[in-house]
Amino acid sequence: MEVINIKGTDDTPNVILDKENAQFEISGRSLPEDVNMFFEPIMDWIDEYAEDPLDKTVFNFKLEYFNTASSKVILDILLKLEEIVENDKDVVIKWHYHEDEEDMLEAGEEYADIVSIPFEYVILDD
Amino acid sequence: MSKKNKKIIKRLKKYFSVSFLSETELYVMSFFTVFLLFFTWAGVSSLTSGRFTINSIFYIHTKPFVWFIDFVILSLPLSFVFFVNYHKIKTAKLKKELNKLYDNSRQNVELAEKIGRGELDLDVKAADSKLSEVLLNLGQNLKHNQEKENVLNWISKGKDLISDILRSYNNIESLSIEVLKKIIEYNSAVQGAFYIYDGKGMLKNIATYAYGRQRFIKQEIPVGKGLIGETAYEKQYVFRTEIPDDYFTLTSGILGDRKPKGLLIVPLVQEDELQGVYEIAFISENVPEKVFTLAEELSRMIGQTIYNLKINKRTEQLLKESQEMTEILKKNEEQLKQNAIEMLEAQEQLEKSNKLLESQIQEVEHGRKKLQALLTNASEFISIYNERQQLLFESPSVKRILGYDDDDEDVRGMDPELLTPKGYRTINELFQYLLETPGGQRTAQYTYLKKNGEKLFLETRGTNLLHDPAIRGLIFNTRDITERKRAEKEERMKSRMQSLSENSPDMIIRINTSGKLIYVNPAVTVFVGVPASELVKKRISELKIDPRFIQFVKESLISIRDENKEIISEITITSSEGERVMEIKGIPEYNDDNDLESILFVAHDITEIKIIEQQLKEKNKKISDSINYAQRIQSSILPDTKSLQQHFPRSFIFYRPKDVVSGDFPWFFKKDDTYYVAAVDCTGHGVPGALLSFIGYFLLNNIVNTDKNYTAAEILDKLHYGVRKNLKQDQEGANGRDGMDLALCKISPEKGELQFAGAHRPLYLVRNGELIEFKGTRKGIGGTPLPRRVEKDFENNIIKYQKGDKIFIFSDGLPDQIGGKEERKKKYQARRIREALVEDPSHTMAYYSRFFPKDFFEWMGEEKQVDDVLLIGIEL
């Protein structure tokens, strides 16, 4: 599979999706003007990945900020990953947050409520 | 009469008894006494009166002396009787004592005889003399010792019996059953079983024996499990009288109701190492102590034997293996000997040929040195390869030519590692051709990586001289053609640039430092309408073209000369096609000594772009006008601080959209005596957010208008489904993610009641300087329903409020704002809001209405605003 490696900006996140090296990470800020356009190739990639995933997928979210529209896309990504879990493959979400950013932890917990994927919460160092 | 007197009388009687005298003796004694009396009286009478009569008898009795003599005579027989009796009594007494002593001694003799005969069940009552006591003790000790000896004899006999069996079997299976049989028999047990420890945590039952019959029950018991397993684990024998009903499956049928009452389980150990376990069952629960002592002895004895057997088995195995090994070694040794002889022969052969070779080498060495000197300094290098493409020879000059030092090793002119893929292919094709063409010759070019990483262009001429006996290889003459390549490339580039320039729609003019035109491209002719030949080699000031252009070039020359910097500017010039707006770049060009040599002017016609830019500006203005207008509409329907204060005098709305129009909006509604207030955050911001805000605004109005009894949570539920329906998110295939988060309060002052429901948003209630947080529901408004998931309803909070309670609701724009004074920009954080609210209980609403905007802008600093910001505070 091709590798997605998008460098982040002030408004868009860093995205690394690399099946070969088992790297899955979305980090930084996500408040693109058009959420759907930005995330479309990412969703397509994950759709394709879900067809033939690795035995274990560790997906890292290291988001500092995301807007409401992005939050829905993140949920879509998690729902797609949940399908992988339903096909008896391991998926772990590593949800990174800064210790003093309670809202990011809460956001993670809300996602964990919705999808049946194990979440690990990791405190980010500065 | 007193008792004492009676006793005295009895005693007197005894002493004065005359029973020892015969009747005759008594009469004789009485007669003799009377005679003596008369004789005496006659004597006395004769002395006094001379005559003896009755009267004289009376007469003499007037004298006391006669009475005394009478008394003496009468006491004589009495004294005699007394003496005789006294002796008699004394003798009787002595005789009695003598008899007693005799009895005692006779009994003791009997006792001693019994002890002598070994009859030790002695009667304790007999112990009434010191000697008897000693004898009795002696007897009891002897009895005790005998019992002890019996036990010891029993144990040692048992040990001997088992030991005999242990000696006579050297296989565990038959040993175990025989041992078990004997143990059962000897201990008067009824049944038993024997287990061997396999060293891997399992006990294997290898013998079971019950009532004289051998049984085979394959059973495995893990150490630590059950009675047997526990015993094995503890390595301590166990005697149990309470036996589980199902313990011996074997017995239930045979014994009927006579189940064993005692069970002894004994571990078999060797030096504290478990070897096995045996168990035996007894019909009675009273099992003598000696059985246990024997069991302890046997535990070690049998354990040792089993251990020995195991060791023997292993030793046998090892012995067998070692014998086999010896056999193999023996064979190998012979082989080795043979080999050594062969090797010795080969070595001798080798030494001979080495000597020959050395002398040959010496010869060749001289020739080689000569050649070396020639080749090291050649401007090309020669390589010879064999037909398998292996390098046979390469001139020493290869290192110098390829940019390596003399001490670098393994430098090869066609090192595949240092060739480009294309070069590698080229070389391979060259080899292929040469191998197929005897005597053939061909030239090829390839690139090579120098030591310093630079690219080297090489040209090699290969010749197939495999048939030549002097060479017997493919010979390659290779030289460095980098410089030639570079020159060729430059030439090519120049002509390409030329062609680019000739065909460019931009005007390109090169002017030297004195203002003379060196080059113009055809576009210049098109623009100024003067042929190129009339322009070249003339001074710019001499040209008959737009003076504005001439003026610009002159100024540029001065500026570039002074500052050595590229310039760019826009000017309008009159061309053959009328007024054109040109963007002109002046680029300084330097010679090899880094002196300014000429300036290249490139003028690009941006007239069209300018027009489009203008149009864009106009369009943009129209759009902003329209957005501004939209903003007026939006702000006209939305409440502001002033309108809120009409109902709640101490309140404020801090509202700061990111763009002109906003996705966040405050909402306020009053119906009868109920007030509704909400801080709403629609997905997105700007125009799309604003459009969504209208849907939210009017849906909320409609919902509360329909029924004022809806709780805050019910309003959110209705809004949720309303948004979903309006945006058609509930239809199949819908992909809408648009929706809103909000905090909604329903205030009923009459009841003093506040209801709160939140979609991802909380409510902060400040009472007497303390903050109470009501977290909203983890659910947003709107959005396509998630497949296979049940949606929860919003949670309603009912709060009895007090006068002076302050409530705050807000969108996430404020807590999410990036900023701060530190190097790493951070989010404002909800915590900062909470801390501000409890900082000082005396802070008023008016204070907060000033504080939050101020703090927000200070926090944001130079960062851009991330989202719409909305904060509503109300004092109830």
Side-chain angles (χ1 to χ4, degrees), chain A:
Chain A
M1 267 182 92
E2 49 153 349
V3 174
I4 290 191
N5 191 343
I6 301 171
K7 268 259 161 272
T9 66
D10 273 359
D11 291 343
T12 56
N14 291 295
V15 182
I16 300 170
L17 297 171
D18 183 348
K19 183 182 175 185
E20 203 172 309
N21 295 312
Q23 285 220 42
F24 312 92
E25 183 173 308
I26 297 181
S27 58
R29 305 180 186 188
S30 178
L31 48 151
E33 282 300 327
D34 189 335
V35 173
N36 292 330
M37 198 159 84
F38 179 82
F39 277 101
E40 198 182 333
I42 293 159
M43 290 306 299
D44 287 348
W45 192 94
I46 294 173
D47 278 345
E48 194 190 329
Y49 175 74
E51 300 280 312
D52 180 23
L54 297 176
D55 286 341
K56 179 159 183 163
T57 309
V58 179
F59 208 110
N60 287 287
F61 286 94
K62 293 183 187 172
L63 290 163
E64 290 165 29
Y65 174 79
F66 53 87
N67 60 12
T68 321
S70 298
S71 74
K72 310 274 187 198
V73 183
I74 291 167
L75 181 58
D76 284 350
I77 291 172
L78 290 170
L79 289 169
K80 190 41 94 175
L81 295 174
E82 191 182 44
E83 283 178 24
I84 298 176
V85 175
E86 282 159 7
N87 291 328
D88 289 334
K89 294 278 171 67
D90 277 350
V91 178
V92 173
I93 304 298
K94 285 207 172 162
W95 189 268
H96 303 256
Y97 68 100
H98 280 287
E99 197 167 14
D100 53 357
E101 297 191 342
E102 54 188 287
D103 51 338
M104 291 311 296
L105 174 61
E106 278 174 19
E109 286 171 346
E110 181 175 347
Y111 285 129
D113 278 354
I114 299 173
V115 297
S116 2
I117 308 176
F119 267 61
E120 286 174 16
Y121 301 96
V122 185
I123 295 177
L124 277 173
D125 291 324
D126 278 313

Side-chain angles (χ1 to χ4, degrees), chain B residues 113-165:
Chain B
E113 275 174 351
K114 272 188 178 176
I115 292 168
R117 284 195 304 274
E119 289 168 22
L120 297 174
D121 297 312
L122 301 174
D123 189 359
V124 186
K125 277 183 281 177
D128 62 348
S129 78
K130 203 73 181 164
L131 184 61
S132 317
E133 218 175 282
V134 171
L135 284 169
L136 209 57
N137 271 342
L138 177 70
Q140 269 164 351
N141 279 343
L142 278 170
K143 183 186 176 191
H144 192 65
N145 284 339
Q146 195 186 29
E147 274 170 3
K148 228 170 168 177
E149 204 177 317
N150 282 346
V151 168
L152 285 175
N153 281 339
W154 185 85
I155 290 169
S156 101
K157 192 184 163 200
K159 277 166 71 179
D160 287 345
L161 283 170
I162 299 300
S163 161
D164 281 346
I165 298 171

Side-chain angles (χ1 to χ4, degrees), chain B residues 267-279:
Chain B
L268 305 173
V269 292
Q270 194 274 330
E271 307 230 323
D272 214 30
E273 201 178 302
L274 184 72
Q275 302 297 338
V277 172
Y278 75 80
E279 54 174 342

